Amino acid sequence: MNLDKLQNWLQENGMDVAYVSSPTTINYFTGFITDPEERIFKLFAFKDAEPFLFCPALNYEEAKASAWDGDVIGYLDSEDPWSKIAEEIKKRTKDYQNWAIEKNGLTVAHYQALHAQFPDSDFSKDLSDFIAHIRLFKTESELVKLRKAGEEADFAFQIGFEALRNGVTERAVVSQIEYQLKLQKGVMQTSFDTIVQAGPNAANPHQGPSMNTVKPNELVLFDLGTMHEGYASDSSRTVAYGEPTDKMREIYEVNRTAQQAAIDAAKPGMTASELDGVARKIITDAGYGEYFIHRLGHGIGMEVHEFPSIANGNDVVLEEGMCFSIEPGIYIPGFAGVRIEDCGVLTKEGFKPFTHTSKELKVLPVKE
Ligand code: MN
């Protein structure tokens, strides 16, 4: 159980209370997902008392029915959540001197409200690094969800490729992808705003889809993902709509070779920087190094960007169970952009992708 790891950590670090404030981290420890919007939804764990989940009364019944089998304390909009939290904690334990809090993502307003209830307690210890560290290593049940999310991304590519035709806007292609994901796969949420970019637009890697229309003989870049039971997919493919030029084929093949080389090279024991270097060397040797303007990849899990960062200069050693993307890109301003991305898990035998859409350059027929 993930929560045992947290309780052990509290004991080892001489901490009394853990205040878990990010809904994603709460989901990680409890198996309960919700978006509380501006209301208060928190998890409290102790070194030697029973943990409890604190939530709006609106979410009480779903929290009780969720995978979380610990206590749930609800509050009404007419109640002060912070004094209710303080009361609940004092019922459970006399030890609330030393707190570990999730400094990443905690608002100053919430921190001050909590501090006002426990003016003599120490809130200096950060929980964020510990949480990031344990989330690096995925369990088999997490991998099942990541693979499912990957299957949904593969499905989304097929819808997107099919939707390309003369004059269709990037946004219309996005809407087809997201509509069919909901209709056919029951996907509630994408893991980020779906990216479809045609022609020179793809040279701006994170620009959102526009009213730009798809035209023959362009490359079209797709970057998309879904959330599956709290776990994200993230994958990119670039296709040709109509016959590409020789230069388009060339940058595509250089990028594909670089991506495959990094996938083949990924092994436990190497550093993130070394892995980045495998792809970067191929692109640089081909003369396109200046157009590969981002790191090779990022970790993935409950969030679309987690640790480890697969970047030049990051000497973290890659280990079995880590999940991350391998996504080199070549972006030539005013001309075209190519990115090919798979997320996967690192195992003893190497990198096992969660997405399987072919990476041979696909030349789609022009449709009127
Ligand atoms: Mn990515």
Side-chain angles (χ1 to χ4, degrees):
M1 230 340 235
N2 288 333
L3 197 65
D4 296 341
K5 296 178 196 159
L6 176 58
Q7 283 163 331
N8 291 340
W9 182 88
L10 288 172
Q11 281 159 7
E12 285 161 15
N13 287 274
M15 293 288 120
D16 301 315
V17 190
Y19 171 67
V20 180
S21 48
S22 126
T24 306
T25 315
I26 294 174
N27 181 14
Y28 181 75
F29 286 125
T30 65
F32 176 56
I33 316 179
T34 195
D35 175 5
E37 296 174 332
E38 80 287 6
R39 293 187 174 88
I40 307 302
F41 171 59
K42 310 292 170 192
L43 174 69
F44 297 86
F46 305 90
K47 79 169 181 231
D48 51 14
E50 287 301 308
F52 70 92
L53 191 59
F54 188 83
C55 69
L58 287 170
N59 301 101
Y60 179 83
E61 290 301 331
E62 49 170 329
K64 291 295 275 186
S66 75
W68 170 249
D69 54 10
D71 292 344
V72 181
I73 311 294
Y75 79 98
L76 297 166
D77 287 338
S78 55
E79 291 179 295
D80 170 16
W82 302 102
S83 59
K84 194 159 181 178
I85 286 167
E87 233 170 77
E88 191 59 39
I89 290 173
K90 288 171 184 171
K91 260 193 251 169
R92 283 163 199 259
T93 180
K94 302 225 164 339
D95 295 330
Y96 42 78
Q97 178 55 36
N98 296 308
W99 287 62
I101 60 178
E102 243 187 321
K103 291 186 181 176
N104 286 348
L106 173 60
T107 68
V108 176
H110 285 183
Y111 168 72
Q112 288 178 340
L114 190 62
H115 189 259
Q117 297 292 333
F118 298 94
D120 301 323
S121 295
D122 184 314
F123 290 90
S124 57
K125 183 87 175 168
D126 193 1
L127 249 184
S128 304
D129 290 348
F130 165 70
I131 288 167
H133 179 79
I134 57 172
R135 276 175 52 181
L136 272 174
F137 304 95
K138 269 63 177 183
T139 63
E140 190 49 43
S141 76
E142 292 185 286
L143 291 173
V144 167
K145 293 169 188 169
L146 287 163
R147 287 187 199 107
K148 279 281 184 199
E151 283 172 23
E152 290 167 353
D154 281 329
F155 167 83
F157 285 130
Q158 299 315 313
I159 299 296
F161 299 164
E162 187 60 31
L164 297 185
R165 61 188 63 244
N166 287 351
V168 71
T169 64
E170 294 168 358
R171 286 183 191 169
V173 177
V174 167
S175 72
Q176 267 305 320
I177 290 170
E178 295 186 353
Y179 174 67
Q180 295 299 338
L181 276 170
K182 288 185 181 191
L183 185 70
Q184 295 193 50
K185 297 289 171 184
V187 168
M188 269 297 290
Q189 239 189 330
T190 55
S191 51
F192 56 92
D193 290 342
T194 303
I195 293 174
V196 174
Q197 296 171 312
N201 272 13
N204 301 316
H206 273 179
Q207 178 181 295
S210 71
M211 294 304 281
N212 176 43
T213 57
V214 171
K215 298 161 199 78
N217 316 112
E218 286 182 334
L219 295 180
V220 183
L221 191 158
F222 296 79
D223 188 347
L224 50 83
T226 64
M227 295 302 295
H228 185 91
E229 295 177 17
Y231 285 79
S233 53
D234 178 13
S235 184
S236 304
R237 289 293 184 272
T238 306
V239 297
Y241 176 68
E243 263 318 304
T245 64
D246 289 350
K247 172 104 169 174
M248 290 175 192
R249 280 189 185 275
E250 182 185 329
I251 61 173
Y252 186 86
E253 288 308 327
V254 168
N255 200 60
R256 182 165 78 109
T257 304
Q259 202 243 5
Q260 193 58 50
I263 287 179
D264 295 343
K267 294 281 173 327
M270 76 192 303
T271 68
S273 187
E274 284 165 353
L275 183 56
D276 180 284
V278 171
R280 201 166 298 277
K281 180 170 192 316
I282 290 169
I283 292 174
T284 304
D285 288 352
Y288 295 105
E290 66 180 296
Y291 301 114
F292 178 15
I293 51 177
H294 54 71
R295 61 184 173 179
L296 180 63
H298 54 81
I300 191 159
M302 302 182 92
E303 285 169 294
V304 72
H305 288 180
E306 297 192 354
F307 295 106
S309 176
I310 311 299
N312 184 24
N314 183 5
D315 292 325
V316 67
V317 173
L318 300 177
E319 294 178 54
E320 246 178 273
M322 289 182 175
C323 294
F324 52 84
S325 72
I326 295 183
E327 52 174 309
I330 298 175
Y331 312 95
I332 304 182
F335 176 63
V338 174
R339 182 165 61 258
I340 304 172
E341 171 183 21
D342 294 297
C343 289
V345 59
L346 196 60
T347 71
K348 258 198 287 300
E349 295 80 42
F351 184 81
K352 306 286 181 207
F354 301 139
T355 36
H356 302 284
T357 298
S358 166
K359 291 175 273 193
E360 296 275 330
L361 178 60
K362 194 181 278 296
V363 179
L364 294 167
V366 169
K367 292 191 258 184
E368 292 304 327

